[in-house]
Structure formats: structure tokens, C-alpha cells
Amino acid sequence: MRWLLVALALVVSGCGGLGADTSDALVTMGFGLPDEHATARVAVFRQANPDVDLRISEGAFDEQQFLSSVAAGDPPDLVYADRRKLGGYAARGAVQGLDDCLREHDVDLGRFREAALRQVTYEGRVYGVPEFSSVRLLIVNNPVVRAAGVDPASLSTTDWAGLGALTDRLAEVDGGRVRRIGFDPKVPEFLPLWAKANGAELVGPGARLDDPRVVEAVRLTTDLVARQGGWASFKAFRDTFDQFGANNQYATGQLAAMPMDSWYLNTLATNSPDVDVTIAPFTDREGRVLTESGGQAWAIPKGARHPDLACRFLVTMTDTRTWVTAATARRDALAKAGRPYGGTFTANREADERIFREVFDPKGNPILQRGVPVVLSLQDEAFALPPSPAASELVRAWEGAVNRVLVGQQDPQEAMAQAQREAERALKRVGGR
């Protein structure tokens, strides 16, 4: 595995003069340097630790590569991974507990948002430090919805019985060909949110994927897709969206409404600042506000060569002052390009309070002015999937099940029953319950 980490370390930004040997370097996995949020925080660490040879590997986190490197006794010093999967790595002994590390650096865990911290805590021990924090909300395309005779403010996810008729009213499907998506339920990715809206928990303790309330959520959401041309046509049309550009689905009228991660507000504000949208909370079947928290976390693998330096790095990267420095750098870079800054949403509550008090600069953008307060109101209300020793396998089980329903291979009850069996086998393999 040594050659693999060397190859990763060679793709580095700002580290100059690298040799092939990484034995004396502090090596990361799964973290890149795409913007000032990353580069400014790395710069803070470098400035405070000029003698540390930090190697930032570009590229997404690869679970199999990571687990293989740990098994081979040759892991990176730090990994940047999805929080909901961290419990599985902790249960397998692939990452180290951080209680001593955080105590040594006098880190107050109370500053982190409860849902995010819960995801990185397994059997009473903390195994990761949360980074960004996104929540899920509704984004409604006002002109499209009004043209269908619907008040955007009335659109919600509370009335499951009426969602089908509403979707039919908002969608445009001609002979099976989709011309506009009326309502995109965002499954399989958002199944935990829909299940929770129906009073069901997918995880903990064990797995509950065949709960009748989960099956009902699968039935509802896959039916919404079926009403709009079926999965093949629906997905083919959705794949044409210029999601991160000026001709995105809201600007072009290709979509009426969908639940979405909160980070997308900044994308809309930057690329199509004049688009007319309503940003509202997702709600459960009783009309209560509901949202799911998501994001990444830093962790230190078992067998890391430099655990003390790794600890120093992850503490620095998630420190309040470091976040404010990064937010300021991001705001200033956007201002030079004439763009608004919609804030930086982190799992560090203290950092967010300072960022939105001292740095936030929407420049009058209506998307940000209306949407950011909604996001901030949801951050501490969010739920998160609890850690599981078979987290990755459970996600694959329920997403695979929903996909089988979407393509017509199984009905919801059969698919979720199979997913439950797969989940139970995975839990048994790793000694979970």
C-alpha cells in the first residue's frame, strides 16, 4: 500500500518539493483544496506549524482504499469522511478514539451541534471532529408553481395523500417524455428524511429497514417518480440539468420543487441570483418542521504515523478562529468577483455565530436574505442517523432497495424486506446488533 499513498501525496497543492517518501510527512486522504474554505484553513495550520511537511491529497475519499491501507498497516495520518459512516470505521477499529486528543487541546465539545457530534460518537467515545454542516429544506420555483395555479407558500411535504395530485399538476410529461419535473422526492438519497417524516428510524439499534412506515415512505416517493414518466425518463431528464450553472433547473423552469441540501442556496445565489424561489422547511406528516443533518468529519486512522500532529491538524481545522479566517477569505474572494457571500455553515455553533455576525455579506441577494435565516433556524433542530457498526452496508442496502423499486424489479415491501436481510447479515459480520 506504500506506493498507493505515495501516489496520492504527489497530487498536492502548495506543498512544493515533494519526494517519494512520506514516512516523515503528515498525509491526509479525502480532502482537497477547491476554495478558500480549505486553503485558508490549511494556511493557518502551516503558519502555526512551519516545520510540518503536510501532504494534502486531492480526490474524494475512497472507503475500500482507506480500509485496505489500515489493514496493511500503512494508513494516512488523517481521513476526511462522511460522518454517518464513521461509526462503522470505529466499530472495525479502523479509526482511533479522540477523547485524549481533544482533552489535551482543551476542545469544548459543547460548541459542536448535537446531531453532528452524535454521528462521530460510538459507544461513548468520540472518533471524529465534525466539519461543515448541511441541512435539508424545500426549494420551490415560484413562477412555475404559480403558473400551475398553486401558491408557493402552500407547498409542503405534510399532506402525503395530496402529493401525487400536486405532482401531476406541476409536472409536464408528454407521451412518457418528461418536460418538467413537478416534484422531485430525491430518493434514494433522502429516504432517511422521508422515513423520519413518517415516524420511522432506519437505524438504531440495529436496522429497521422493513418497518411498515419505511415501506410506506418508499411507496410514496417512488410513486411520485413513476407518475412523472418512470425512473428511466425521469432520471434521463434530470441528468440534463445544468445544476451548477446559470441555466440550472430553476432558471429554466425544468423543475417546480424539491427537497435539497442547504449548500445549494449559495450555488443558486452565485449562478442565477435573480431566480425567484421560496425556501421553506421540510415538514413531517403532522406539519412539524423536520430536517436531516449531514457533512464530513476528520478522523485519525489506526496505525497513523503521526497521531499527535494529526490531532493538532484536525483541532486547528475546526477551531472557531480558523473558521472565521476561512469565511473572511471566502467572502473577500467572492466580493472581488462581484458575488455575494451566503455564509459558511459548520458543525461548530460558536463559529457560525461569529461568521453570521461578522462576515456574512449577501449583497442584497434575495435568495440568501430569505434562505439563510431558514437554514440557521434548522441547524440545531436537525436529526442525524445514529452511528452503526455496519453504516456503509446499511446505506447500500436501503439505497439498493429503493433503486430496485424505481426500476420496477420489486415492490416496496419486497425490496425493503430484502434490504433488511442484507442489513442483518452485515451487522452480524461486524458484531453489531
Side-chain angles (χ1 to χ4, degrees):
M1 294 299 299
R2 169 56 50 204
W3 66 270
L4 188 55
L5 288 179
V6 170
L8 283 169
L10 290 176
V11 189
V12 179
S13 174
C15 292
L18 297 183
D21 183 17
T22 60
S23 59
D24 293 327
L26 186 66
V27 180
T28 74
M29 175 186 283
F31 181 79
L33 299 168
D35 61 24
E36 296 76 17
H37 287 132
T39 57
R41 288 185 296 143
V42 168
V44 170
F45 178 82
R46 289 190 189 284
Q47 186 174 7
N49 302 273
D51 297 330
V52 175
D53 182 11
L54 174 64
R55 313 280 181 101
I56 301 293
S57 63
E58 300 281 356
F61 176 74
D62 186 309
E63 178 175 270
Q64 292 307 313
Q65 180 179 301
F66 163 61
L67 293 174
S68 295
S69 71
V70 172
D74 195 22
D77 294 293
L78 291 139
V79 290
Y80 186 68
D82 187 337
R83 289 199 299 262
R84 65 180 178 174
K85 297 183 179 181
L86 199 61
Y89 306 145
R92 298 179 188 195
V95 292
Q96 303 180 23
L98 298 179
D99 296 294
D100 291 341
C101 153
L102 300 176
R103 192 178 305 112
E104 180 182 345
H105 289 272
D106 197 27
V107 175
D108 177 14
L109 292 176
R111 76 181 60 163
F112 292 98
R113 301 190 186 280
E114 183 180 345
L117 190 61
R118 190 182 312 123
Q119 285 189 303
V120 299
T121 304
Y122 181 72
E123 294 188 342
R125 298 190 69 191
V126 175
Y127 285 89
V129 179
E131 265 237 350
F132 293 101
S133 179
S134 66
V135 292
R136 290 169 169 175
L137 37 69
L138 277 180
I139 306 179
V140 180
N141 194 338
N142 292 339
V144 169
V145 172
R146 290 192 188 108
V150 177
D151 179 4
S154 71
L155 198 152
S156 82
T157 51
T158 295
D159 180 14
W160 283 23
L163 267 178
L166 176 65
T167 297
D168 291 345
R169 189 170 179 177
L170 297 176
E172 286 188 11
V173 183
D174 183 8
R177 184 177 179 182
V178 184
R179 300 188 183 278
R180 173 183 296 138
I181 291 175
F183 186 91
D184 184 352
K186 296 286 287 186
V187 289
E189 301 92 336
F190 283 25
L191 179 61
L193 184 64
W194 288 101
K196 184 79 168 179
N198 204 26
E201 303 278 357
L202 292 177
V203 180
R208 305 170 181 172
L209 308 188
D210 59 350
D211 184 313
R213 295 168 296 179
V214 176
V215 173
E216 187 178 11
V218 173
R219 193 179 304 281
L220 168 81
T221 53
T222 55
D223 177 67
L224 294 178
V225 173
R227 302 172 84 106
Q228 299 177 87
W231 179 240
S233 296
F234 183 95
K235 185 177 185 301
F237 179 70
R238 191 170 65 181
D239 287 346
T240 68
F241 289 174
D242 180 28
Q243 187 168 356
F244 299 101
N247 294 317
N248 59 72
Q249 62 274 18
Y250 287 96
T252 58
Q254 294 172 300
L255 172 73
M258 69 175 176
M260 187 58 179
D261 293 297
S262 54
W263 53 259
Y264 194 62
L265 297 183
N266 272 315
T267 299
L268 283 179
T270 297
N271 296 315
S272 50
D274 298 323
V275 72
D276 183 12
V277 294
T278 291
I279 297 102
F282 191 96
T283 50
D284 69 10
R285 297 190 72 174
E286 302 299 321
R288 294 182 292 255
V289 169
L290 177 68
T291 193
E292 181 181 2
S293 171
Q296 279 71 34
W298 286 104
I300 302 176
K302 177 185 177 182
R305 287 186 173 84
H306 310 101
D308 292 339
L309 284 178
C311 173
R312 194 186 308 171
F313 179 86
L314 61 80
V315 168
T316 300
M317 292 291 282
T318 56
D319 180 73
T320 297
R321 290 167 297 181
T322 308
W323 274 122
V324 173
T325 297
T328 303
R330 181 63 177 157
R331 179 200 63 190
D332 293 349
L334 289 170
K336 287 181 180 179
R339 295 175 174 177
Y341 168 65
T344 303
F345 298 96
T346 81
N348 181 334
R349 186 186 300 104
E350 181 182 89
D352 280 15
E353 289 171 356
R354 285 194 55 188
I355 288 168
F356 287 96
R357 184 174 65 247
E358 303 170 16
V359 189
F360 178 55
D361 185 14
K363 294 188 181 302
N365 182 278
I367 298 171
L368 298 176
Q369 288 184 318
R370 292 196 298 262
V372 166
V374 176
V375 178
L376 292 174
S377 73
L378 294 173
Q379 285 280 21
D380 283 325
E381 302 300 321
F383 78 93
L385 292 172
S388 168
S392 297
E393 292 88 344
L394 298 191
V395 173
R396 284 195 291 269
W398 76 61
E399 289 191 350
V402 175
N403 282 325
R404 291 193 297 276
V405 178
L406 286 169
V407 300
Q409 289 181 354
Q410 290 179 311
D411 69 29
Q413 189 167 349
E414 292 171 332
M416 298 316 293
Q418 178 180 326
Q420 179 66 19
R421 293 192 296 270
E422 293 169 356
E424 289 173 354
R425 287 196 296 268
L427 286 164
K428 186 175 181 179
R429 281 197 302 271
V430 297
R433 292 178 295 131

